[in-house]
Amino acid sequence: MDHDAMDLAEARYELVISVDARRSGEYDDVDKQRMRERIYRVLEAAFTHAKVARDAVHMEDRGDGVLLSVAGRIAVTRLLGLWMVEVHENLRDENRGLSVPLGLRVGMHVGPVRHDGRGISGRAVDLACRLADSPLARRLLDAERADLVLVTSQSLYEDVVSSGGKFIEPAHYSSARLELKEGEVTAWFHLPGRPAPEIPTAAPAAPDADRADDVDGVDDARDARDVSDTRGADEAGGVDDAPDVDDARRVDGEDRADAPRAHYTVHGDMSQHSDNVYQQPVHIGRITGDAGRRKG
């Protein structure tokens, strides 16, 4: 049996780490090369200080970042704890004196990973990369003026982070819902060396999205305000011109089950009349203009 071929075909449960540089597109060719050198110095020194053997780590270059997976024989708590502390401290040291500090976004997830001659693949890899590249991770890194943001999956937080451990403080993580290509997920955000980050509120929806339910070209939210304002003005004068829906279903004090229910959108005065008998001509509605000044 070809054990090597079998090993390549089988998925292994590993910790996947995606590391991305902040605003890498703003670096010119010379500075980008220096940025890449800093990233590798930061990560490799952290593995050394955390006593993680290099043969336990798979590392792929991603141009403006690095994709890693760590063999299951290495405790995940060591990577979430001591290794992250070392990454943060090494990054701070690299940033001393730089006019444009290097910022890193790190995504982590544990799951089945497949290795081949070109690298690693699997849904666990996709999720770790999505977490590191999420808009919220980018916003937090900028809003907090931080060097590093760590984003873990829900399962990694529940299985490892929530139990705590050396250099792991679950109270310093904040959760948020993310919309990813694969669907909505919960992620946990951590800024090493700081309290739990305050998650920014979602950006307001685009105007077109807000008006998606309008069928007559009118903003339904504005409609509701107009109705409320009209009713409030009438009731202040002691008159409620907006009839209750149930009024249209009652004749001589009795309910009519067959009477249709009605829904109205009102932008001015309104009156409703049902099953009335008039003994003489009746004018219904407001009299405006010249007609309003004529005597009857």
Side-chain angles (χ1 to χ4, degrees):
M1 181 181 294
D2 188 342
H3 291 283
D4 290 337
M6 182 183 70
D7 195 41
L8 286 173
E10 291 180 343
R12 319 168 192 172
Y13 267 77
E14 298 182 344
L15 174 67
V16 182
I17 307 172
S18 176
V19 180
D20 283 340
R22 171 173 50 197
R23 294 198 186 91
S24 60
E26 297 181 8
Y27 289 87
D28 61 26
D29 288 349
V30 173
D31 286 336
K32 183 165 290 189
Q33 181 62 35
R34 293 169 179 164
M35 174 200 75
R36 286 162 48 79
E37 292 170 355
R38 292 188 184 100
I39 293 175
Y40 279 96
R41 280 199 300 269
V42 165
L43 299 179
E44 290 173 345
F47 280 123
T48 299
H49 288 115
K51 295 182 171 54
V52 178
R54 282 299 286 113
D55 63 356
V57 179
H58 168 83
M59 187 177 293
E60 291 181 28
D61 183 76
R62 289 299 179 96
D64 59 352
V66 183
L67 177 63
L68 310 105
S69 65
V70 182
R73 71 175 188 268
I74 305 298
V76 176
T77 51
R78 192 185 308 175
L79 277 303
L80 278 167
L82 180 58
W83 184 77
M84 281 304 306
V85 169
E86 291 293 337
V87 168
H88 184 223
E89 290 302 318
N90 294 340
L91 182 58
R92 290 178 61 194
D93 189 58
E94 287 284 344
N95 281 336
R96 294 184 193 280
L98 291 182
S99 58
V100 181
L102 173 62
L104 296 179
R105 303 185 309 273
V106 179
M108 283 192 185
H109 176 57
V110 171
V113 176
R114 283 183 165 81
H115 292 251
D116 58 31
R118 297 178 178 84
I120 59 175
S121 63
R123 296 181 65 182
V125 176
D126 295 341
L127 180 54
C129 293
R130 299 272 192 262
L131 296 177
D133 195 43
S134 64
L136 183 51
R138 295 171 181 270
R139 290 174 63 190
L140 272 178
L141 200 60
D142 289 338
E144 298 292 336
R145 298 182 180 179
D147 298 305
L148 176 67
V149 59
L150 168 65
V151 192
T152 73
S153 64
Q154 171 78 355
S155 59
L156 182 56
Y157 179 87
E158 290 178 346
D159 295 342
V160 182
V161 176
S162 63
S163 299
K166 191 172 183 179
F167 304 117
I168 300 176
E169 299 179 272
H172 288 189
Y173 286 70
S174 297
S175 66
R177 296 290 288 173
L178 302 180
E179 284 286 351
L180 306 181
K181 290 183 180 180
E182 295 79 6
E184 192 176 68
V185 302
T186 297
W188 289 82
F189 295 80
H190 173 56
L191 300 172
R194 303 191 186 192
E198 182 177 345
I199 301 300
T201 56
D208 288 343
D210 289 341
R211 300 164 68 91
D213 293 333
D214 295 337
V215 295
D216 58 356
V218 180
D219 186 345
D220 290 336
R222 188 190 67 202
D223 294 346
R225 291 195 300 272
D226 290 345
V227 172
S228 176
D229 292 343
T230 302
R231 290 175 61 97
D234 292 338
E235 289 168 3
V239 179
D240 184 357
D241 286 336
D244 294 333
V245 173
D246 286 344
D247 290 346
R249 297 167 55 86
R250 302 178 68 85
V251 176
D252 297 330
E254 296 183 1
D255 289 333
R256 284 184 51 190
D258 60 338
R261 288 187 178 274
H263 174 76
Y264 303 94
T265 297
V266 181
H267 293 279
D269 296 335
M270 172 183 171
S271 62
Q272 179 173 313
H273 305 265
S274 176
D275 298 319
N276 295 308
V277 178
Y278 301 102
Q279 303 300 324
Q280 59 184 4
V282 174
H283 173 83
I284 298 174
R286 178 182 295 178
I287 300 176
T288 61
D290 293 338
R293 291 191 291 268
R294 290 198 296 267
K295 300 294 183 179

